[in-house]
Every structure is written in C-alpha cells, then in structure tokens.
Amino acid sequence: MVLELRNLVLGLLFWLCVLPWAEGGKVLVVPIDGSHWLSMRDVVRELHARGHQAVVLAPEVNLHIKEEDFFTLQTFPTSYSQEEFGYIFQRHRQMIFKTHFLEKFLETIESMKNGSMMYYKSCSELLHNQLLNRHLNESAFDVVLTDPVNPCGALLAKYLSVPAVFFLRFIPCDLDFEATQCPNPSSYIPRLMTMNSDHMTFLQRVKNMLFPLGMKYICHINHSPYASLASELFQRDVSLVDILSHGSVWLFRGDFVLDYPRPIMPNMVFIGGINCANRKPLSQVCMLPLCN
Ligand SMILES: *[C@@H]1O[C@H](CO)[C@@H](O)[C@H](O)[C@H]1NC(C)=O
Ligand SMILES: *[C@@H]1O[C@H](CO)[C@@H](O)[C@H](O)[C@H]1NC(C)=O
C-alpha cells in the first residue's frame, strides 16, 4: 500500500521531468549558495534539457550562482556587501574541520547566527520586494524547487501558492519528520551530528535524546525570524513546521547505504545517486604491505 502510494506520488511529481512528451513546465528554483547550488545546478541543467523552463532566483550578492545558458537568472538587491557575505562563508568553512565537540558546537552556533542573519536579511528583502513578487506571481510557475535548509524558498512557494519540491541533503532538528508527521523513534534513529549509529548503548541513547535539545536552540535562533516573517505575510500565526509542511515532495540526496535507515513518508524520495553524476575513476593508492 505504502509502496503503491509512493509510486503514485513519484509518478505525479516526476511528470515534470520524466514525460518527454509533456508540455514544458515552468520551474522557479530558489537555491542556497555554496555547494548546495552545485548539486542543484545539475538538476536545473537536466530540467532544461528536457524542455522545461527554469528561473533561478538569487540575491545579487552571492558566491556561485552565476548566469548560465540553461536557466534565466533573476536577482534581487540586498543590503549587505559581497565582502561581508564572503567572510561568513569563509568562517563557516574553517569551522567544519574542527573536531573538538564543544568548540565545534559553540562555533556552529556563532557561525549559524551570523549566516542565518544574512540569509534572513535577504529573505526578508525578497519577500518585501513587491515589484518582484508581483512579477513572480504573474509568471505562474508550476513548481518551486528549493533546499528547505534555508526556508525562504518554501516560504516564497507558500506565499505564491505554488507547490514546492524540496531538494536536500538533510535538515536539522528533525524538521522533515515534523513537517511530514513521520514517525521518529529516538531509540533507533541516530540524531544528526551525534555520531551515534542505529545500534546504541544506553548512554548513547541518552545522548541521542539530549543532543536535539541543543540543536533546537540553534534552530530556534536560525528559524524563528522566518516564522515571524511568515506570520506577518499571512496575517496569522505561522510556524516553521507550517511553512515546511507546504512541501509536496522531499528529495533527499542520501541513501541507506550512506545513511542509517529511518522511517520515511510516501512523499520522501532518496536520490543519493545524484551525487555521483560526475564520477571519476578512483586513483590508485598504494597501501603497504599490499604494494608490489
Ligand atoms: C560573526 O559576526 C561577528 C560580528 O560581525 C564577527 O566578529 C565574528 O567573527 C563572526 N563569526 C563567525 C563565526 O562568522
Ligand atoms: C497573485 O495573483 C493573484 C491573482 O491576481 C492574487 O489573487 C494573489 O493575491 C497574488 N499573490 C501574491 C502573493 O501577490
């Protein structure tokens, strides 16, 4: 039954890219800058190759989102400079390589605070840009493709009443579970960044229970401004989970070979193979004493 439903959803939502005889659709792409965009760009290229029209929406100040011939780039002005933006990305990259748990945790908070403030600024400026929103509304997009780690694309989709397809590696704070009402037993599902496996000792399970509390704090810092922005736009109380519940399909760039198994909902699809689009042969490595 679940499999059938899943196939149905897959069929419905992939009509855009699967049916070569289907009329070309109009896709509004709201990417996140950096490496996130690099994997999304391949999808946009493929959509274009299959006759769909993609408009990529990005702030004027960005790292990697540049004009290409397989999409239309629509930029919008921001109140921060390229230098301010580049500095935050640089600090974030340095943090990734820290291994000390507490240090990493504290730096993560600071880096996310800074980064999310800037992302939020650009999101607020985007959603308050009436001229641009009128134009986007009139463009009558069929679908919004976005990475929900930055909820701006999801919020914009909800605001424009356009279905959203989420394209993500993962999202912190179990927001995917909450937004899709997916079962989430913490005794079996290792939490993000805990380094636990799906077989946990008692103490690891305790860590698995406690760690999300810290993450919730980070997520609160990161996400509460979006809930306020949404509440302002819709003139009622809107939570982040409400915004993310707008997603029709969740495409996870993961795989149960790479990640631990977890419950999924019928509108979740694992497309981990997409990360191997540009594969290269492994270079030969000499491991003593196997060399000869
Ligand atoms: C965060 O921003 C503050 C003030 O702008 C800056 O001093 C600090 O280095 C930044 N930290 C990170 C991790 O980006
Ligand atoms: C989009 O256009 C429709 C029809 O003109 C209108 O009812 C709706 O309020 C507009 N939405 C936004 C977000 O501007």
Side-chain angles (χ1 to χ4, degrees), residues 87-88 91-92 95 107 110-115 117:
Y87 174 73
I88 293 216
R91 286 294 302 263
H92 186 71
M95 179 211 68
E107 282 253 353
E110 194 190 333
S111 169
M112 282 189 75
K113 243 185 197 167
N114 285 5
M117 207 161 13

Side-chain angles (χ1 to χ4, degrees), residues 145-277:
L145 178 68
T146 187
D147 189 327
V149 167
N150 177 354
C152 198
L155 177 52
L156 180 66
K158 192 173 161 74
Y159 185 50
L160 298 174
S161 304
V162 175
V165 171
F166 293 157
F167 181 81
L168 69 159
R169 178 69 184 92
F170 47 66
I171 189 164
C173 298
D174 297 336
L175 286 164
D176 48 338
F177 289 93
E178 280 191 50
T180 57
Q181 300 185 13
C182 183
N184 188 17
S186 62
S187 305
Y188 300 101
I189 305 174
R191 298 294 181 232
L192 209 60
M193 290 169 74
T194 53
M195 307 285 188
N196 285 339
S197 82
D198 56 343
H199 293 286
M200 289 172 258
T201 62
F202 176 73
L203 281 180
Q204 283 170 333
R205 283 183 180 178
V206 172
K207 180 181 174 189
N208 212 44
M209 296 278 293
L210 294 181
F211 194 81
L213 299 179
M215 285 300 285
K216 278 255 186 283
Y217 173 66
I218 298 180
C219 285
H220 180 74
I221 295 170
N222 198 22
H223 290 146
S224 60
Y226 292 93
S228 312
L229 179 59
S231 303
E232 178 204 322
L233 286 176
F234 296 109
Q235 304 275 304
R236 63 185 162 85
D237 237 6
V238 179
S239 70
L240 185 67
V241 169
D242 295 332
I243 298 170
L244 295 179
S245 307
H246 180 71
S248 303
V249 170
W250 295 65
L251 301 176
F252 286 93
R253 291 199 314 280
D255 192 285
F256 290 157
V257 175
L258 195 62
D259 306 311
Y260 293 108
R262 51 165 280 185
I264 58 171
M265 294 306 262
N267 63 343
M268 294 177 166
V269 185
F270 284 75
I271 53 164
I274 208 164
N275 294 325
C276 314

